[in-house]
Amino acid sequence: MRTLSIFLGFAVVTALSGCAGTGTPLVVECKLESDRREVPGPALVGQEYGPKMSVIPLDAVQYTDKSLTRRVAVQTLSATRTETETVSVDVRFVNCTSSAVQLGVRTSFMDKKQRPTEAASSWKTVFVQPRATATYSETSVGRENVANYLIEIREAAN
């Protein structure tokens, strides 16, 4: 019986550990430079403009708000080719809080050069009950040209 209790305790801790931070930035971070200098040269020369931002990983879920990363975890993320060669993405979210969370979720599909293959999907509302899971799925319109995707989540308006 004690072994079963230890095992169940370990399983709960392991399941909830997905709600802790991973150290990988899940939210885009922009840094504004206070000391802007005029850069000489023609306008067509490739230069950096505006704020600097963190890298946005592809084939991933991107949070729009850091506080959301403490409340909602991504348990699984997968992408598969359908029989018609479109790409289907699926995400299972876990609500790490004792309150219901309402998410807005959308997907952008891209080619090998990270160019959009179609307009981003409409924002879909996903309700995640307290300490529960919910899933989101989206399928591309594009076929063989789809090579990457990016799923964005935000807190939906009530």
Side-chain angles (χ1 to χ4, degrees), residues 72-153:
V72 176
V74 175
Q75 184 180 32
T76 61
L77 171 61
S78 64
T80 57
R81 289 255 175 217
T82 66
E83 291 178 12
T84 59
E85 290 301 313
T86 60
V87 174
S88 177
V89 295
D90 298 285
V91 183
R92 183 179 307 129
F93 296 108
V94 178
N95 182 348
C96 299
T97 71
S98 299
S99 302
V101 176
Q102 188 175 334
L103 301 174
V105 188
R106 75 175 179 181
T107 303
S108 298
F109 293 99
M110 292 157 269
D111 65 14
K112 291 177 186 173
K113 295 184 178 181
Q114 300 180 17
R115 295 177 301 204
T117 58
E118 56 206 68
S121 69
S122 299
W123 287 99
K124 291 184 181 176
T125 302
V126 176
F127 296 96
V128 193
Q129 296 301 320
R131 305 281 180 204
T133 63
T135 58
Y136 163 83
S137 298
E138 189 67 59
T139 302
S140 69
V141 174
R143 298 178 188 283
E144 297 87 11
N145 60 335
V146 176
N148 298 102
Y149 61 90
L150 177 65
I151 300 171
E152 299 170 273
I153 68 168

